[in-house]
Amino acid sequence: MTRTRSNALWTFAITSLALFMVALDNLVGTTALPVIKTDLGASLSELQWIVNAYTLTFAVLLITGAALGDRFGRKRVFTIGMAIFVGGSALAALSSSTEMLILARAIQGVGGAIVTPLTLTILSAAMPPERRAVALGAWGGIAGLAIAIGPLVGGAIAEGLDWHWIFWLNVPIGLIVLSLAAFRLTETHGPDGRLDVPGLGLISAGLLALVWGVINGNDLGWDSPQIVAALVAGAVLLVGFVVWEARSAHPMLPMSFFRNRAFSAANLVSLLMYFGMFGAVFLLAPFFQVVQGYSPFQAGLRTLPWTGMPIIVAPIAGVLADRIGGRPILATGMALQAVALGWLAVVVTPTVPYEAMVVPFILAGIGMGLFFAPIANVVLSAVNADQEGKASGATNTIREVGGVFGVAVLAAIFSANGDYGTPAAYVAGMQPAIAVGAVVVAFGAVAALFIPARAGARAIVSRVDAGATDVATAGQVAGEPA
């Protein structure tokens, strides 16, 4: 493929806009959840499914999206995924019941799962090797920014217009992306286009069973036959998935990836980060409305010290990680987030003054910026260039699975200790849940220390054939154990 500056810039713009839309929808509705709860009469379990219907389908199908792109063409499959996402957004905007909204969110997740890994592989293929690390750092920063400002955007729209417009907004932007992609993206294919149907079935059924069990455990009882059966079945299916992938000639997730320390440690960090932070945001975003009586926009505005910091920090972190590697950046970022969540769990009360929450919000925002900037390049530096599609799908799947279980587990802790009934009851449930999130993120900081020292730093590349760059060798050098 011929790389030109114009092509690279257009590819970066299109993939960034698509990624921003899809990532934004992870948490854009969290600030609007109290409004949706009132408008549609949703229960806590249904509110969880409004979030998890998106993240679960998103997580399960990410690797499949990457494989479809490798087989049928990344540009072609990218446009199909974006069309599905836009259609799901329109259905969500038209929803008049929780069941309809949950279905629409699941459709959005399918489209998002196809689009997200392809934004990374399309971008990587279009970038000159010397600009690849910077581009991937920006890719991670954009994803982090979208996730971070989701509660603010959702609150502003829910108050200024109506919560339905949170989803209507995707439609015109998605149509613009589709138009630009048709004329400006270049078609590329991956080396292995086979679909691992048994693997997809095993991981889909396993994750669905586990999440269903965790979400419904408090309502049905953790020792009830349905919950025990769901949890056991989910665990067995996931073990079966690992066994199948280890023996399959064409696995959707090669187990050999995990023999690379940089790949394994970085993905463990992603899993723990999304578990702790997604679960915490699910409870913290409505706090200002449910407990302190603020409007959706006022609530979103008060999270700005948290959500705004990645905009400042991520570009700086990307430059530093390019020079010194991802390990110190990721470890510091995870540690700051753990401290911030622990701080919030200690100080939060129904009448806590906002000033007492500003510093931990800032620390959490800095930590998120330090995480999002280097993570993609650390992961892709651990595999060869022809494995980037599967690696991209794998790492996105792992972190989204972390988010799914984070929301499910922390909401279960919340339900076991409190409820939406009164401000005091909400805080009684939120405090232990946020504290658990802090502990999980702290383990992520420890896991980051196992990433090789120079993983994700600017790779030393060899030049062959009058200046051609061996990208695979560069990735292997950057991913070698310390």
Side-chain angles (χ1 to χ4, degrees):
M1 173 184 168
T2 301
R3 296 185 179 95
T4 66
R5 180 176 177 83
S6 176
N7 177 67
L9 289 174
W10 274 110
T11 301
F12 179 77
I14 294 167
T15 55
S16 295
L17 185 57
L19 176 68
F20 186 86
M21 285 178 59
V22 173
L24 187 73
D25 269 52
N26 274 284
L27 292 176
V28 71
T30 53
T31 315
L33 286 177
V35 177
I36 295 173
K37 183 178 187 297
T38 301
D39 190 28
L40 300 182
S43 65
L44 177 62
S45 176
E46 288 172 327
L47 292 180
Q48 291 179 63
W49 276 113
I50 290 170
V51 175
N52 279 342
Y54 181 84
T55 53
L56 184 59
T57 53
F58 190 78
V60 166
L61 296 175
L62 275 164
I63 299 177
T64 303
L68 289 171
D70 287 349
R71 171 65 178 85
F72 297 107
R74 291 163 179 163
K75 173 183 173 180
R76 179 183 302 165
V77 176
F78 172 86
T79 57
I80 293 172
M82 181 54 63
I84 294 173
F85 182 80
V86 170
S89 297
L91 183 62
L94 294 169
S95 295
S96 57
S97 67
T98 53
E99 294 80 9
M100 186 176 177
L101 181 56
I102 290 169
L103 173 62
R105 293 285 283 163
I107 294 172
Q108 279 189 299
V110 172
I114 295 172
V115 168
T116 299
L118 294 179
T119 62
L120 187 55
T121 51
I122 290 171
L123 178 62
S124 181
M127 284 293 153
E130 67 274 11
R131 297 181 181 273
R132 183 171 174 269
V134 174
L136 295 182
W139 182 92
I142 288 167
L145 172 63
I147 291 171
I149 70 170
L152 176 62
V153 173
I157 295 174
E159 182 176 346
L161 296 169
D162 180 84
W163 68 263
H164 297 84
W165 281 95
I166 292 172
F167 305 107
W168 276 128
L169 188 65
N170 289 331
V171 176
I173 299 175
L175 293 176
I176 292 171
V177 171
L178 285 169
S179 300
L180 291 174
F183 294 102
R184 293 291 181 176
L185 291 184
T186 302
E187 187 63 279
T188 60
H189 292 77
D192 183 8
R194 295 177 178 86
L195 293 180
D196 180 12
V197 176
L200 174 63
L202 287 167
I203 193 172
S204 301
L207 289 174
L208 182 61
L210 283 179
V211 173
W212 186 90
V214 172
I215 287 179
N216 292 284
N218 282 328
D219 292 336
L220 299 178
W222 290 100
D223 57 351
S224 67
Q226 304 100 306
I227 299 302
V228 173
L231 296 178
V232 171
V236 170
L237 287 167
L238 291 183
V239 170
F241 169 76
V242 173
V243 172
W244 171 263
E245 295 299 286
R247 297 181 177 181
S248 175
H250 303 283
M252 64 187 295
L253 178 56
M255 293 295 109
S256 61
F257 283 0
F258 295 97
R259 289 198 290 268
N260 184 292
R261 183 153 60 94
F263 185 90
S264 296
N267 278 292
L268 178 58
V269 172
S270 291
L271 177 77
L272 297 175
M273 187 274 186
Y274 271 63
F275 186 107
M277 293 305 295
F278 261 56
V281 170
F282 178 77
L283 296 171
L284 280 168
F287 167 80
F288 291 110
Q289 298 172 71
V290 175
V291 175
Q292 298 197 329
Y294 290 105
S295 68
F297 177 69
Q298 289 173 328
L301 195 62
R302 278 162 176 74
T303 66
L304 197 56
W306 184 356
T307 60
M309 290 308 297
I311 303 173
I312 302 170
V313 174
I316 301 171
V319 173
L320 288 174
D322 195 31
R323 295 177 180 176
I324 66 175
R327 181 168 72 184
I329 307 297
L330 289 170
T332 302
M334 295 294 287
L336 288 175
Q337 290 177 79
V339 169
L341 290 180
W343 190 333
L344 289 168
V346 170
V347 302
V348 68
T349 66
T351 58
V352 61
Y354 174 66
E355 293 78 10
M357 304 179 74
V358 170
V359 173
F361 277 171
I362 291 173
L363 292 178
I366 294 172
M368 289 180 72
L370 293 176
F371 168 84
F372 285 120
I375 192 68
N377 201 39
V378 170
V379 170
L380 292 192
S381 73
V383 302
N384 294 332
D386 62 355
Q387 298 173 317
E388 287 180 352
K390 289 185 177 180
S392 168
T395 192
N396 281 288
T397 295
I398 289 167
R399 70 185 190 182
E400 292 300 327
V401 166
V404 168
F405 282 102
V407 170
V409 171
L410 296 197
I413 295 171
F414 170 88
S415 297
N417 295 277
D419 54 49
Y420 270 75
T422 65
Y426 190 94
V427 171
M430 188 177 78
Q431 280 182 318
I434 300 299
V436 170
V439 172
V440 171
V441 176
F443 278 112
V446 175
L449 298 176
F450 289 88
I451 296 173
R454 298 291 296 172
R458 184 179 295 276
I460 301 171
V461 298
S462 59
R463 297 188 176 275
V464 296
D465 296 333
T469 304
D470 184 350
V471 180
T473 300
Q476 290 168 350
V477 170
E480 286 176 357

